[in-house]
Amino acid sequence: VGNIPKRGDILAWSESACAIFANSVLGARTNRNGAIMDLLCNIVGKVPMSGFLTDQGRQATWLMEIKTDTLPLPQMLGAAIGKRVLADVPYIVGLDRFLGPGMNPTTRDYLHEMGAACASAGAVALYHVENITPEAMDHGRDLLVAGYSSHAIVEQELTMLKASYPVLWKNKEA
C-alpha cells in the first residue's frame, strides 16, 4: 500500500523474514526483538540504540563467495548461508554476476526469498551483497570486520543440501 520503509529508517519489527528484508534490501534498521518488545517500542516511538541499529552492529563477520555456474535457487542459497553463518552477518560476493549491479524488482524478489531462507535456516537478520544492497554499494568490503571468516558456496554443496530435504509426497512427480 505504499508504506515501505526508507533507507536509514529505524523500525521495531520482529518477524524474521521482514526484519532481514528491511535491514538488507531496504537499508532500514531494525533488531529482531520479541513481539512484545517491538509492540512497546512502537507504542512509545523509541527503540534501544543497539545491535543492527548501529554501524558497528551492521558489519559483516563472514565473506560468502558464490562460486556456481548458474544462479542458485534463492531458497537453497539462503539455507546454505543461514546454516553456515547462523546469527552472524554475511557479506556475499558473486551474485552480481547473475543479477547485475544495483537493485531492480527481479533482484529485490530474489533477495527477499534468499533472505527468508537465511533467517529460517539460521538466525540471520542482515546480509550485504556486493554491488547490489545499499550499504554494500556505499562501503563495499569495508563492511567486513578484521579477521572475518570465509566460505565458498559451490554447486555440490547446494545439490547436497537440496537432497537432504525429504519429499513428503507419495507421488514425487505430482
Side-chain angles (χ1 to χ4, degrees):
V1 296
N3 187 18
I4 298 171
K6 295 177 208 59
R7 183 169 182 190
D9 283 355
I10 304 294
L11 313 173
W13 286 8
S14 48
E15 201 283 319
S16 61
C18 293
I20 193 171
F21 182 76
N23 278 328
S24 307
V25 177
L26 300 179
R29 294 179 175 223
T30 184
N31 288 313
R32 195 177 53 219
N33 300 311
I36 194 69
M37 177 67 171
D38 281 339
L39 176 64
L40 294 172
C41 289
N42 281 299
I43 289 171
V44 299
K46 296 180 184 287
V47 297
M49 185 59 79
S50 63
F52 298 114
L53 303 183
T54 68
D55 290 341
Q56 182 180 4
R58 298 177 75 80
Q59 290 187 290
T61 53
W62 280 87
L63 175 67
M64 302 297 289
E65 192 170 356
I66 311 306
K67 291 188 168 187
T68 59
D69 294 330
T70 60
L71 178 65
L73 291 172
Q75 301 86 352
M76 289 297 107
L77 180 58
I81 292 169
K83 285 176 177 283
R84 174 65 59 169
V85 307
L86 302 176
D88 287 341
V89 177
Y91 186 92
I92 303 163
V93 299
L95 277 180
D96 57 335
R97 290 183 298 133
F98 307 111
L99 299 172
M103 195 66 65
N104 60 56
T106 300
T107 298
R108 184 197 64 228
D109 292 347
Y110 180 91
L111 294 178
H112 187 217
E113 289 192 42
M114 184 195 81
C118 284
S120 62
V124 180
L126 166 66
Y127 60 83
H128 303 288
V129 181
E130 189 167 63
N131 299 319
I132 296 178
T133 56
E135 289 167 275
M137 293 283 285
D138 288 349
H139 305 291
R141 295 190 187 194
D142 289 342
L143 289 167
L144 287 158
V145 299
Y148 61 85
S149 300
S150 60
H151 178 71
I153 295 182
V154 296
E155 299 281 353
Q156 183 181 12
E157 179 180 358
L158 297 174
T159 300
M160 289 172 41
L161 179 62
K162 187 175 181 182
S164 74
Y165 289 103
V167 176
L168 302 176
W169 296 274
K170 290 180 182 177
N171 179 357
K172 293 179 183 181
E173 303 304 317

PDB file of all heavy atoms in Angstrom, residues 20-53:
ATOM      1  N   ILE A  20      14.964  -9.112   8.086  1.00  0.00           N
ATOM      2  CA  ILE A  20      16.131  -9.285   7.214  1.00  0.00           C
ATOM      3  C   ILE A  20      15.944  -8.524   5.902  1.00  0.00           C
ATOM      4  O   ILE A  20      16.891  -7.955   5.379  1.00  0.00           O
ATOM      5  CB  ILE A  20      16.455 -10.782   6.991  1.00  0.00           C
ATOM      6  CG1 ILE A  20      17.846 -10.943   6.368  1.00  0.00           C
ATOM      7  CG2 ILE A  20      15.391 -11.469   6.158  1.00  0.00           C
ATOM      8  CD1 ILE A  20      18.338 -12.381   6.310  1.00  0.00           C
ATOM      9  N   PHE A  21      14.731  -8.470   5.387  1.00  0.00           N
ATOM     10  CA  PHE A  21      14.451  -7.718   4.167  1.00  0.00           C
ATOM     11  C   PHE A  21      14.661  -6.223   4.412  1.00  0.00           C
ATOM     12  O   PHE A  21      15.312  -5.539   3.615  1.00  0.00           O
ATOM     13  CB  PHE A  21      13.023  -7.997   3.685  1.00  0.00           C
ATOM     14  CG  PHE A  21      12.662  -7.289   2.408  1.00  0.00           C
ATOM     15  CD1 PHE A  21      13.132  -7.750   1.193  1.00  0.00           C
ATOM     16  CD2 PHE A  21      11.851  -6.169   2.421  1.00  0.00           C
ATOM     17  CE1 PHE A  21      12.809  -7.100   0.002  1.00  0.00           C
ATOM     18  CE2 PHE A  21      11.515  -5.514   1.245  1.00  0.00           C
ATOM     19  CZ  PHE A  21      11.997  -5.980   0.030  1.00  0.00           C
ATOM     20  N   ALA A  22      14.124  -5.720   5.515  1.00  0.00           N
ATOM     21  CA  ALA A  22      14.265  -4.298   5.833  1.00  0.00           C
ATOM     22  C   ALA A  22      15.737  -3.929   6.022  1.00  0.00           C
ATOM     23  O   ALA A  22      16.211  -2.941   5.464  1.00  0.00           O
ATOM     24  CB  ALA A  22      13.457  -3.953   7.079  1.00  0.00           C
ATOM     25  N   ASN A  23      16.457  -4.728   6.799  1.00  0.00           N
ATOM     26  CA  ASN A  23      17.869  -4.441   7.063  1.00  0.00           C
ATOM     27  C   ASN A  23      18.732  -4.525   5.815  1.00  0.00           C
ATOM     28  O   ASN A  23      19.569  -3.664   5.582  1.00  0.00           O
ATOM     29  CB  ASN A  23      18.424  -5.427   8.106  1.00  0.00           C
ATOM     30  CG  ASN A  23      18.107  -5.024   9.522  1.00  0.00           C
ATOM     31  OD1 ASN A  23      18.025  -3.851   9.849  1.00  0.00           O
ATOM     32  ND2 ASN A  23      17.932  -6.014  10.376  1.00  0.00           N
ATOM     33  N   SER A  24      18.533  -5.562   5.040  1.00  0.00           N
ATOM     34  CA  SER A  24      19.452  -5.862   3.937  1.00  0.00           C
ATOM     35  C   SER A  24      19.088  -5.173   2.639  1.00  0.00           C
ATOM     36  O   SER A  24      19.929  -4.510   2.020  1.00  0.00           O
ATOM     37  CB  SER A  24      19.479  -7.380   3.703  1.00  0.00           C
ATOM     38  OG  SER A  24      19.763  -8.062   4.902  1.00  0.00           O
ATOM     39  N   VAL A  25      17.860  -5.332   2.200  1.00  0.00           N
ATOM     40  CA  VAL A  25      17.436  -4.858   0.879  1.00  0.00           C
ATOM     41  C   VAL A  25      17.013  -3.388   0.905  1.00  0.00           C
ATOM     42  O   VAL A  25      17.376  -2.623   0.019  1.00  0.00           O
ATOM     43  CB  VAL A  25      16.301  -5.754   0.327  1.00  0.00           C
ATOM     44  CG1 VAL A  25      15.788  -5.234  -1.006  1.00  0.00           C
ATOM     45  CG2 VAL A  25      16.790  -7.199   0.193  1.00  0.00           C
ATOM     46  N   LEU A  26      16.274  -3.001   1.932  1.00  0.00           N
ATOM     47  CA  LEU A  26      15.809  -1.619   2.017  1.00  0.00           C
ATOM     48  C   LEU A  26      16.839  -0.686   2.655  1.00  0.00           C
ATOM     49  O   LEU A  26      16.793   0.516   2.432  1.00  0.00           O
ATOM     50  CB  LEU A  26      14.506  -1.543   2.816  1.00  0.00           C
ATOM     51  CG  LEU A  26      13.323  -2.341   2.263  1.00  0.00           C
ATOM     52  CD1 LEU A  26      12.119  -2.195   3.179  1.00  0.00           C
ATOM     53  CD2 LEU A  26      13.003  -1.927   0.839  1.00  0.00           C
ATOM     54  N   GLY A  27      17.736  -1.244   3.464  1.00  0.00           N
ATOM     55  CA  GLY A  27      18.712  -0.407   4.169  1.00  0.00           C
ATOM     56  C   GLY A  27      18.116   0.305   5.369  1.00  0.00           C
ATOM     57  O   GLY A  27      18.719   1.229   5.914  1.00  0.00           O
ATOM     58  N   ALA A  28      16.924  -0.126   5.799  1.00  0.00           N
ATOM     59  CA  ALA A  28      16.354   0.379   7.049  1.00  0.00           C
ATOM     60  C   ALA A  28      17.076  -0.343   8.194  1.00  0.00           C
ATOM     61  O   ALA A  28      17.924  -1.210   7.949  1.00  0.00           O
ATOM     62  CB  ALA A  28      14.851   0.122   7.091  1.00  0.00           C
ATOM     63  N   ARG A  29      16.742  -0.030   9.418  1.00  0.00           N
ATOM     64  CA  ARG A  29      17.450  -0.626  10.555  1.00  0.00           C
ATOM     65  C   ARG A  29      16.464  -1.120  11.597  1.00  0.00           C
ATOM     66  O   ARG A  29      15.644  -0.353  12.098  1.00  0.00           O
ATOM     67  CB  ARG A  29      18.405   0.389  11.179  1.00  0.00           C
ATOM     68  CG  ARG A  29      19.529   0.757  10.215  1.00  0.00           C
ATOM     69  CD  ARG A  29      20.477   1.767  10.789  1.00  0.00           C
ATOM     70  NE  ARG A  29      21.570   1.973   9.848  1.00  0.00           N
ATOM     71  CZ  ARG A  29      22.846   2.058  10.205  1.00  0.00           C
ATOM     72  NH1 ARG A  29      23.190   1.969  11.468  1.00  0.00           N
ATOM     73  NH2 ARG A  29      23.776   2.242   9.287  1.00  0.00           N
ATOM     74  N   THR A  30      16.578  -2.406  11.893  1.00  0.00           N
ATOM     75  CA  THR A  30      15.735  -2.997  12.921  1.00  0.00           C
ATOM     76  C   THR A  30      16.455  -4.176  13.561  1.00  0.00           C
ATOM     77  O   THR A  30      17.207  -4.888  12.904  1.00  0.00           O
ATOM     78  CB  THR A  30      14.374  -3.467  12.352  1.00  0.00           C
ATOM     79  OG1 THR A  30      13.556  -3.945  13.424  1.00  0.00           O
ATOM     80  CG2 THR A  30      14.522  -4.558  11.311  1.00  0.00           C
ATOM     81  N   ASN A  31      16.240  -4.338  14.838  1.00  0.00           N
ATOM     82  CA  ASN A  31      16.651  -5.562  15.508  1.00  0.00           C
ATOM     83  C   ASN A  31      15.474  -6.512  15.432  1.00  0.00           C
ATOM     84  O   ASN A  31      14.340  -6.106  15.174  1.00  0.00           O
ATOM     85  CB  ASN A  31      17.037  -5.282  16.964  1.00  0.00           C
ATOM     86  CG  ASN A  31      18.355  -4.549  17.052  1.00  0.00           C
ATOM     87  OD1 ASN A  31      19.323  -4.922  16.398  1.00  0.00           O
ATOM     88  ND2 ASN A  31      18.391  -3.499  17.851  1.00  0.00           N
ATOM     89  N   ARG A  32      15.721  -7.770  15.649  1.00  0.00           N
ATOM     90  CA  ARG A  32      14.638  -8.755  15.644  1.00  0.00           C
ATOM     91  C   ARG A  32      14.363  -9.111  17.101  1.00  0.00           C
ATOM     92  O   ARG A  32      14.899 -10.056  17.646  1.00  0.00           O
ATOM     93  CB  ARG A  32      15.050  -9.973  14.816  1.00  0.00           C
ATOM     94  CG  ARG A  32      13.901 -10.861  14.470  1.00  0.00           C
ATOM     95  CD  ARG A  32      14.325 -12.003  13.590  1.00  0.00           C
ATOM     96  NE  ARG A  32      15.436 -12.716  14.178  1.00  0.00           N
ATOM     97  CZ  ARG A  32      16.472 -13.209  13.506  1.00  0.00           C
ATOM     98  NH1 ARG A  32      16.537 -13.075  12.223  1.00  0.00           N
ATOM     99  NH2 ARG A  32      17.429 -13.847  14.114  1.00  0.00           N
ATOM    100  N   ASN A  33      13.515  -8.292  17.695  1.00  0.00           N
ATOM    101  CA  ASN A  33      13.163  -8.477  19.106  1.00  0.00           C
ATOM    102  C   ASN A  33      11.947  -9.379  19.232  1.00  0.00           C
ATOM    103  O   ASN A  33      11.297  -9.700  18.244  1.00  0.00           O
ATOM    104  CB  ASN A  33      12.827  -7.118  19.741  1.00  0.00           C
ATOM    105  CG  ASN A  33      13.991  -6.157  19.683  1.00  0.00           C
ATOM    106  OD1 ASN A  33      15.107  -6.499  20.037  1.00  0.00           O
ATOM    107  ND2 ASN A  33      13.727  -4.943  19.227  1.00  0.00           N
ATOM    108  N   GLY A  34      11.613  -9.709  20.448  1.00  0.00           N
ATOM    109  CA  GLY A  34      10.362 -10.395  20.700  1.00  0.00           C
ATOM    110  C   GLY A  34       9.199  -9.470  20.377  1.00  0.00           C
ATOM    111  O   GLY A  34       9.336  -8.242  20.421  1.00  0.00           O
ATOM    112  N   ALA A  35       8.055 -10.052  20.066  1.00  0.00           N
ATOM    113  CA  ALA A  35       6.901  -9.259  19.633  1.00  0.00           C
ATOM    114  C   ALA A  35       6.476  -8.238  20.677  1.00  0.00           C
ATOM    115  O   ALA A  35       6.129  -7.098  20.327  1.00  0.00           O
ATOM    116  CB  ALA A  35       5.738 -10.186  19.284  1.00  0.00           C
ATOM    117  N   ILE A  36       6.500  -8.598  21.954  1.00  0.00           N
ATOM    118  CA  ILE A  36       6.051  -7.659  22.989  1.00  0.00           C
ATOM    119  C   ILE A  36       6.996  -6.463  23.077  1.00  0.00           C
ATOM    120  O   ILE A  36       6.565  -5.327  23.248  1.00  0.00           O
ATOM    121  CB  ILE A  36       5.850  -8.346  24.360  1.00  0.00           C
ATOM    122  CG1 ILE A  36       5.074  -7.435  25.313  1.00  0.00           C
ATOM    123  CG2 ILE A  36       7.163  -8.759  24.971  1.00  0.00           C
ATOM    124  CD1 ILE A  36       3.646  -7.226  24.928  1.00  0.00           C
ATOM    125  N   MET A  37       8.295  -6.703  22.919  1.00  0.00           N
ATOM    126  CA  MET A  37       9.269  -5.601  22.942  1.00  0.00           C
ATOM    127  C   MET A  37       9.020  -4.660  21.770  1.00  0.00           C
ATOM    128  O   MET A  37       9.016  -3.434  21.933  1.00  0.00           O
ATOM    129  CB  MET A  37      10.695  -6.162  22.895  1.00  0.00           C
ATOM    130  CG  MET A  37      11.760  -5.108  22.837  1.00  0.00           C
ATOM    131  SD  MET A  37      11.810  -4.184  24.369  1.00  0.00           S
ATOM    132  CE  MET A  37      13.303  -3.243  24.122  1.00  0.00           C
ATOM    133  N   ASP A  38       8.793  -5.222  20.588  1.00  0.00           N
ATOM    134  CA  ASP A  38       8.537  -4.373  19.422  1.00  0.00           C
ATOM    135  C   ASP A  38       7.209  -3.629  19.562  1.00  0.00           C
ATOM    136  O   ASP A  38       7.100  -2.484  19.143  1.00  0.00           O
ATOM    137  CB  ASP A  38       8.578  -5.193  18.136  1.00  0.00           C
ATOM    138  CG  ASP A  38       9.999  -5.471  17.688  1.00  0.00           C
ATOM    139  OD1 ASP A  38      10.914  -4.738  18.115  1.00  0.00           O
ATOM    140  OD2 ASP A  38      10.205  -6.413  16.916  1.00  0.00           O
ATOM    141  N   LEU A  39       6.215  -4.263  20.146  1.00  0.00           N
ATOM    142  CA  LEU A  39       4.942  -3.590  20.388  1.00  0.00           C
ATOM    143  C   LEU A  39       5.151  -2.384  21.303  1.00  0.00           C
ATOM    144  O   LEU A  39       4.673  -1.278  21.015  1.00  0.00           O
ATOM    145  CB  LEU A  39       3.919  -4.556  21.000  1.00  0.00           C
ATOM    146  CG  LEU A  39       2.586  -3.945  21.393  1.00  0.00           C
ATOM    147  CD1 LEU A  39       1.855  -3.413  20.163  1.00  0.00           C
ATOM    148  CD2 LEU A  39       1.729  -4.973  22.114  1.00  0.00           C
ATOM    149  N   LEU A  40       5.902  -2.572  22.382  1.00  0.00           N
ATOM    150  CA  LEU A  40       6.172  -1.464  23.301  1.00  0.00           C
ATOM    151  C   LEU A  40       6.979  -0.361  22.611  1.00  0.00           C
ATOM    152  O   LEU A  40       6.700   0.824  22.810  1.00  0.00           O
ATOM    153  CB  LEU A  40       6.904  -1.975  24.546  1.00  0.00           C
ATOM    154  CG  LEU A  40       6.088  -2.917  25.439  1.00  0.00           C
ATOM    155  CD1 LEU A  40       6.966  -3.519  26.523  1.00  0.00           C
ATOM    156  CD2 LEU A  40       4.887  -2.197  26.036  1.00  0.00           C
ATOM    157  N   CYS A  41       7.964  -0.747  21.813  1.00  0.00           N
ATOM    158  CA  CYS A  41       8.755   0.244  21.080  1.00  0.00           C
ATOM    159  C   CYS A  41       7.867   1.050  20.140  1.00  0.00           C
ATOM    160  O   CYS A  41       8.023   2.275  20.019  1.00  0.00           O
ATOM    161  CB  CYS A  41       9.863  -0.440  20.284  1.00  0.00           C
ATOM    162  SG  CYS A  41      11.198  -1.112  21.293  1.00  0.00           S
ATOM    163  N   ASN A  42       6.946   0.389  19.466  1.00  0.00           N
ATOM    164  CA  ASN A  42       6.051   1.089  18.551  1.00  0.00           C
ATOM    165  C   ASN A  42       5.085   2.005  19.287  1.00  0.00           C
ATOM    166  O   ASN A  42       4.731   3.070  18.779  1.00  0.00           O
ATOM    167  CB  ASN A  42       5.310   0.080  17.668  1.00  0.00           C
ATOM    168  CG  ASN A  42       6.173  -0.418  16.534  1.00  0.00           C
ATOM    169  OD1 ASN A  42       6.611   0.358  15.699  1.00  0.00           O
ATOM    170  ND2 ASN A  42       6.446  -1.708  16.508  1.00  0.00           N
ATOM    171  N   ILE A  43       4.662   1.622  20.479  1.00  0.00           N
ATOM    172  CA  ILE A  43       3.758   2.475  21.260  1.00  0.00           C
ATOM    173  C   ILE A  43       4.455   3.760  21.684  1.00  0.00           C
ATOM    174  O   ILE A  43       3.916   4.856  21.531  1.00  0.00           O
ATOM    175  CB  ILE A  43       3.208   1.709  22.486  1.00  0.00           C
ATOM    176  CG1 ILE A  43       2.219   0.634  22.017  1.00  0.00           C
ATOM    177  CG2 ILE A  43       2.544   2.668  23.483  1.00  0.00           C
ATOM    178  CD1 ILE A  43       1.785  -0.330  23.108  1.00  0.00           C
ATOM    179  N   VAL A  44       5.688   3.635  22.208  1.00  0.00           N
ATOM    180  CA  VAL A  44       6.389   4.825  22.698  1.00  0.00           C
ATOM    181  C   VAL A  44       7.181   5.545  21.607  1.00  0.00           C
ATOM    182  O   VAL A  44       7.628   6.662  21.803  1.00  0.00           O
ATOM    183  CB  VAL A  44       7.314   4.499  23.898  1.00  0.00           C
ATOM    184  CG1 VAL A  44       6.524   3.947  25.063  1.00  0.00           C
ATOM    185  CG2 VAL A  44       8.425   3.573  23.517  1.00  0.00           C
ATOM    186  N   GLY A  45       7.365   4.891  20.469  1.00  0.00           N
ATOM    187  CA  GLY A  45       8.084   5.523  19.371  1.00  0.00           C
ATOM    188  C   GLY A  45       9.583   5.594  19.580  1.00  0.00           C
ATOM    189  O   GLY A  45      10.258   6.446  19.000  1.00  0.00           O
ATOM    190  N   LYS A  46      10.109   4.705  20.392  1.00  0.00           N
ATOM    191  CA  LYS A  46      11.548   4.672  20.666  1.00  0.00           C
ATOM    192  C   LYS A  46      12.011   3.224  20.721  1.00  0.00           C
ATOM    193  O   LYS A  46      11.256   2.338  21.081  1.00  0.00           O
ATOM    194  CB  LYS A  46      11.865   5.337  22.006  1.00  0.00           C
ATOM    195  CG  LYS A  46      11.532   6.817  22.042  1.00  0.00           C
ATOM    196  CD  LYS A  46      11.883   7.403  23.389  1.00  0.00           C
ATOM    197  CE  LYS A  46      11.474   8.850  23.480  1.00  0.00           C
ATOM    198  NZ  LYS A  46      12.290   9.751  22.724  1.00  0.00           N
ATOM    199  N   VAL A  47      13.275   3.015  20.339  1.00  0.00           N
ATOM    200  CA  VAL A  47      13.891   1.691  20.419  1.00  0.00           C
ATOM    201  C   VAL A  47      15.266   1.827  21.047  1.00  0.00           C
ATOM    202  O   VAL A  47      15.901   2.878  20.929  1.00  0.00           O
ATOM    203  CB  VAL A  47      14.017   1.017  19.028  1.00  0.00           C
ATOM    204  CG1 VAL A  47      12.665   0.776  18.397  1.00  0.00           C
ATOM    205  CG2 VAL A  47      14.884   1.832  18.105  1.00  0.00           C
ATOM    206  N   PRO A  48      15.745   0.786  21.724  1.00  0.00           N
ATOM    207  CA  PRO A  48      17.114   0.846  22.257  1.00  0.00           C
ATOM    208  C   PRO A  48      18.124   0.916  21.104  1.00  0.00           C
ATOM    209  O   PRO A  48      18.039   0.141  20.148  1.00  0.00           O
ATOM    210  CB  PRO A  48      17.268  -0.469  23.024  1.00  0.00           C
ATOM    211  CG  PRO A  48      15.866  -0.952  23.276  1.00  0.00           C
ATOM    212  CD  PRO A  48      15.048  -0.437  22.126  1.00  0.00           C
ATOM    213  N   MET A  49      19.054   1.839  21.179  1.00  0.00           N
ATOM    214  CA  MET A  49      20.064   2.005  20.126  1.00  0.00           C
ATOM    215  C   MET A  49      21.162   0.962  20.328  1.00  0.00           C
ATOM    216  O   MET A  49      22.137   1.185  21.019  1.00  0.00           O
ATOM    217  CB  MET A  49      20.649   3.420  20.172  1.00  0.00           C
ATOM    218  CG  MET A  49      21.612   3.699  19.047  1.00  0.00           C
ATOM    219  SD  MET A  49      20.908   3.509  17.398  1.00  0.00           S
ATOM    220  CE  MET A  49      20.023   5.024  17.210  1.00  0.00           C
ATOM    221  N   SER A  50      20.945  -0.202  19.713  1.00  0.00           N
ATOM    222  CA  SER A  50      21.893  -1.313  19.861  1.00  0.00           C
ATOM    223  C   SER A  50      21.780  -2.227  18.649  1.00  0.00           C
ATOM    224  O   SER A  50      20.908  -2.058  17.797  1.00  0.00           O
ATOM    225  CB  SER A  50      21.579  -2.100  21.139  1.00  0.00           C
ATOM    226  OG  SER A  50      20.283  -2.689  21.035  1.00  0.00           O
ATOM    227  N   GLY A  51      22.680  -3.194  18.575  1.00  0.00           N
ATOM    228  CA  GLY A  51      22.612  -4.225  17.546  1.00  0.00           C
ATOM    229  C   GLY A  51      22.637  -3.670  16.140  1.00  0.00           C
ATOM    230  O   GLY A  51      23.525  -2.903  15.767  1.00  0.00           O
ATOM    231  N   PHE A  52      21.657  -4.064  15.341  1.00  0.00           N
ATOM    232  CA  PHE A  52      21.605  -3.693  13.929  1.00  0.00           C
ATOM    233  C   PHE A  52      21.223  -2.238  13.689  1.00  0.00           C
ATOM    234  O   PHE A  52      21.185  -1.790  12.549  1.00  0.00           O
ATOM    235  CB  PHE A  52      20.653  -4.618  13.167  1.00  0.00           C
ATOM    236  CG  PHE A  52      21.093  -6.044  13.182  1.00  0.00           C
ATOM    237  CD1 PHE A  52      20.345  -7.002  13.833  1.00  0.00           C
ATOM    238  CD2 PHE A  52      22.275  -6.431  12.579  1.00  0.00           C
ATOM    239  CE1 PHE A  52      20.753  -8.320  13.868  1.00  0.00           C
ATOM    240  CE2 PHE A  52      22.708  -7.741  12.609  1.00  0.00           C
ATOM    241  CZ  PHE A  52      21.942  -8.693  13.257  1.00  0.00           C
ATOM    242  N   LEU A  53      20.946  -1.496  14.752  1.00  0.00           N
ATOM    243  CA  LEU A  53      20.670  -0.074  14.601  1.00  0.00           C
ATOM    244  C   LEU A  53      21.963   0.733  14.529  1.00  0.00           C
ATOM    245  O   LEU A  53      21.958   1.878  14.095  1.00  0.00           O
ATOM    246  CB  LEU A  53      19.807   0.437  15.763  1.00  0.00           C
ATOM    247  CG  LEU A  53      18.462  -0.276  15.966  1.00  0.00           C
ATOM    248  CD1 LEU A  53      17.688   0.373  17.084  1.00  0.00           C
ATOM    249  CD2 LEU A  53      17.660  -0.337  14.692  1.00  0.00           C
TER     250      LEU A  53
END
